[in-house]
């Protein structure tokens, strides 16, 4: 009998739709209140699920009452260590808590790969004095980031004024600081399992740390036949060789490319890339990374592999400079592949990071250069047509997914 426990980040990952062969088997603990959860057995919305331990004792009780779970899975990187710990407690095979942590903690990743791939100089400051000491040795700019979060709360310090301002904030444990590496950033998104491999690479137009300053969080797919795409895939393999990796997993790797042609590690996570990445991968390669990521650990069949790319895509999201705005209408260009309004930010909220964009758009083209030419025009149109929140509330903009 198949009995599955899922800690679900939702709402875009519909476990019931992605696991129809075992309908009724998943017991899902959800981060969000969802409608239409009849396919689950049962679905429990857990307020502050990321921070409370509720799923752990309840899964243990369920296992003791009517038999152990056959699979414990999650689609949320913040729950990877928790599901690994549950497997260990219940005697289930699979990824260990140490393995989950080793690819979750940014400092541990750098330490583990020091002899494997190039990375920026870094330190783990315990106090602000440690931070100022690192700056004195390396100079500005430096990047300060939490070691166990995604792109949340990343700060780039360019000089003493910004360091003084940073020192006015509440000091938090679990920070790391690293030397800023000049150069474009790329991300590699992969799903790897026995007999299965899907790897797609993209280049950022701007970086996530620039979001609060009004930069656009945007990236363009590389065609799989491009030479640098092959180098990035090789970099991923070299890095993963240093770790105890799960049998089936997704990876989101960020790599900087220096002016002297060196790929340098930024960070890696064992998850499907966020926001627009799954949508672009489905459109270009006919692979659904979210669906594949959930089905493989349960032993359910997935498509044999990515289809040959006939076109590539770039996605662009606008993050206005700390001012609340609403999304514009769909841009009036034929090359638009997908347009989506972001439902996550509260009405009137000021953008704080790369996930605070009011909307995003996906542009298609035959190759990277074509998408690179088309993206700025679309970006400029959207920036010029952002609306005030009052207009959005009045119904000027429909908050819905619009596809061609």
């Amino acid at each position: 009998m198949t009995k599955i426990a899922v800690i679900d980040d939702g709402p875009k990952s519909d476990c019931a739709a992605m696991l129809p062969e075992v309908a009724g088997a998943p017991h899902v603990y959800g981060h969000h209140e969802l409608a239409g959860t009849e396919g689950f057995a049962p679905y429990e919305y857990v307020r502050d699920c990321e921070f409370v331990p509720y799923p752990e004792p309840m899964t243990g009780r369920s296992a003791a009452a009517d038999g152990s779970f056959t699979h414990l899975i999650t689609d949320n990187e913040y729950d990877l260590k928790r599901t690994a710990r549950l497997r260990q407690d219940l005697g289930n095979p699979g990824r260990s808590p140490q393995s989950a942590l080793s690819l979750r903690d940014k400092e541990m990743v750098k330490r583990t790969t020091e002899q494997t791939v190039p990375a920026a100089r870094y330190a783990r400051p315990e106090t602000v004095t440690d931070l100022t000491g690192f700056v004195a040795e390396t100079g500005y700019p430096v990047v300060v980031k939490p070691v166990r979060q995604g792109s949340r709360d990343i700060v780039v310090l360019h000089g003493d004024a910004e360091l003084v301002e940073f020192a006015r904030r509440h000091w938090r444990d679990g920070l790391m600081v690293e030397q800023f590496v000049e150069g474009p950033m790329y991300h590699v998104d992969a799903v790897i399992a026995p007999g299965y491999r899907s790897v797609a690479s993209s280049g950022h137009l701007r970086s996530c740390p620039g979001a609060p300053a009004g930069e656009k969080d945007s990236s363009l797919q590389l065609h799989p036949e491009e030479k640098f795409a092959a180098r990035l895939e090789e970099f991923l393999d070299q890095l993963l060789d240093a770790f105890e990796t799960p049998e089936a997993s997704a990876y989101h790797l960020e790599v900087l490319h220096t002016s002297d042609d060196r790929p340098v590690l930024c960070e890696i996570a064992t998850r499907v890339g966020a926001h627009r990445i799954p949508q672009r991968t489905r459109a270009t390669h006919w692979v659904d990374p979210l669906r594949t990521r959930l089905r493989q650990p349960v032993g359910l069949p997935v498509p044999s592999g990515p289809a040959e790319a006939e076109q590539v895509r770039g996605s662009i999201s606008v993050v206005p400079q700390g001012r609340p705005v609403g999304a514009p209408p769909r841009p009036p260009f034929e090359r638009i592949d997908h347009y989506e309004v972001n439902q996550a930010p509260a009405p009137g909220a000021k953008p704080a990071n790369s996930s605070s964009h009011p909307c995003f758009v996906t542009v298609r083209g035959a190759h990277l250069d074509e998408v690179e030419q088309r993206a700025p025009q679309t970006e400029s149109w959207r920036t010029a047509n952002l609306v005030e929140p009052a207009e959005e509330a009045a119904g000027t903009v429909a908050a819905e997914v619009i596809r061609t």
Side-chain angles (χ1 to χ4, degrees):
M1 174 185 171
T2 300
K3 185 180 177 185
I4 306 167
V6 182
I7 302 178
D8 175 61
D9 192 26
K12 294 189 177 181
S13 50
D14 185 342
C15 294
M18 293 181 182
L19 308 170
E21 298 94 330
V22 290
H27 184 128
V28 180
Y29 302 96
H31 286 237
H32 304 273
E33 288 189 90
L34 301 180
T37 58
E38 297 80 10
F40 303 128
Y43 182 91
E44 291 187 66
Y45 163 59
V46 181
R47 185 181 299 276
D48 296 327
C49 186
E50 190 174 304
F51 307 103
V52 302
Y54 175 83
E56 296 169 60
M58 298 310 293
T59 300
R61 285 188 182 186
S62 177
D66 56 6
S68 186
F69 288 89
T70 55
H71 304 87
L72 296 114
I73 57 177
T74 184
D75 59 351
N76 179 27
E77 70 172 310
Y78 299 100
D79 289 314
L80 288 170
K81 187 179 178 184
R82 172 155 56 178
T83 53
R85 193 166 56 241
L86 275 169
R87 287 190 205 98
Q88 187 177 70
D89 292 344
L90 297 175
N92 285 44
R95 190 177 191 186
S96 69
Q98 181 62 24
S99 169
L101 181 62
S102 70
L103 279 158
R104 175 87 179 84
D105 185 298
K106 293 178 173 63
E107 187 218 1
M108 192 177 292
V109 168
K110 294 287 175 70
R111 195 169 356 111
T112 303
T113 58
E114 281 177 339
Q115 305 303 316
T116 308
V117 295
R121 184 178 177 183
Y122 71 94
R124 182 82 172 257
E126 297 295 330
T127 67
V128 73
T129 304
D130 296 335
L131 174 59
T132 55
F134 183 87
V135 171
E137 292 179 9
T138 65
Y140 292 108
V142 298
V143 183
V144 184
K145 60 178 75 172
V147 296
R148 297 183 188 177
Q149 290 185 186
S151 60
R152 302 177 191 176
D153 301 329
I154 297 177
V155 178
V156 181
L157 304 178
H158 296 89
D160 285 345
E162 291 179 4
L163 177 61
V164 169
E165 185 61 32
F166 182 78
R168 292 180 183 276
R169 302 184 183 185
H170 286 250
W171 182 262
R172 57 187 293 180
D173 293 329
L175 291 177
M176 70 177 290
V177 58
E178 57 187 22
Q179 197 169 18
F180 185 87
V181 176
E182 200 68 56
M185 180 181 285
Y186 294 82
H187 58 89
V188 184
D189 295 277
V191 182
I192 300 173
Y196 183 90
R197 183 180 181 90
S198 170
V199 181
S201 297
S202 305
H204 280 288
L205 287 177
R206 288 101 180 166
S207 62
C208 296
E215 293 187 10
K216 289 79 175 174
D217 176 27
S218 314
S219 66
L220 313 179
Q221 290 176 325
L222 304 183
H223 195 282
E225 294 179 1
E226 291 188 40
K227 290 182 179 179
F228 197 65
R231 288 182 63 189
L232 289 170
E233 185 169 351
E234 181 182 359
F235 190 95
L236 171 67
D237 290 337
Q238 290 174 346
L239 186 149
L240 292 180
D241 281 345
F243 293 91
E244 174 202 340
T245 54
E247 187 175 55
S249 186
Y251 300 97
H252 178 69
L253 166 67
E254 294 188 341
V255 180
L256 292 150
H257 188 207
T258 64
S259 58
D260 58 349
D261 195 29
R262 291 184 306 121
V264 173
L265 171 65
C266 178
E267 56 191 58
I268 188 171
T270 45
R271 61 170 172 84
V272 173
H275 308 309
R276 286 97 21 222
I277 294 168
Q279 180 270 330
R280 288 198 333 236
T281 305
R282 287 193 296 271
T284 299
H285 301 288
W286 295 92
V287 167
D288 186 334
L290 289 170
R291 180 183 176 92
T292 302
R293 170 70 184 88
L294 284 174
R295 291 175 64 83
Q296 284 176 327
V298 184
L300 295 174
V302 296
S304 58
E308 184 175 342
E310 295 182 0
Q311 292 186 310
V312 292
R313 288 159 174 83
S315 56
I316 309 148
S317 54
V318 176
V319 185
Q321 289 184 317
R323 63 187 181 96
V325 295
R330 182 184 184 278
F333 306 121
E334 289 184 6
R335 56 182 173 265
I336 301 303
D337 207 46
H338 182 93
Y339 172 70
E340 186 169 332
V341 174
N342 186 3
Q343 303 281 344
K350 294 182 180 180
N353 54 51
S354 61
S355 65
S356 303
H357 58 276
C359 62
F360 78 86
V361 65
T362 302
V363 180
R364 64 179 178 268
H367 44 74
L368 176 63
D369 288 347
E370 189 168 71
V371 177
E372 209 164 19
Q373 291 168 6
R374 292 174 170 179
Q377 183 184 4
T378 305
E379 182 178 87
S380 298
W381 187 93
R382 288 197 315 154
T383 302
N385 286 276
L386 291 171
V387 300
E388 297 304 316
E391 295 179 54
E392 187 176 35
T396 305
V397 176
E400 62 182 56
V401 176
I402 306 171
R403 295 182 178 87
T404 55

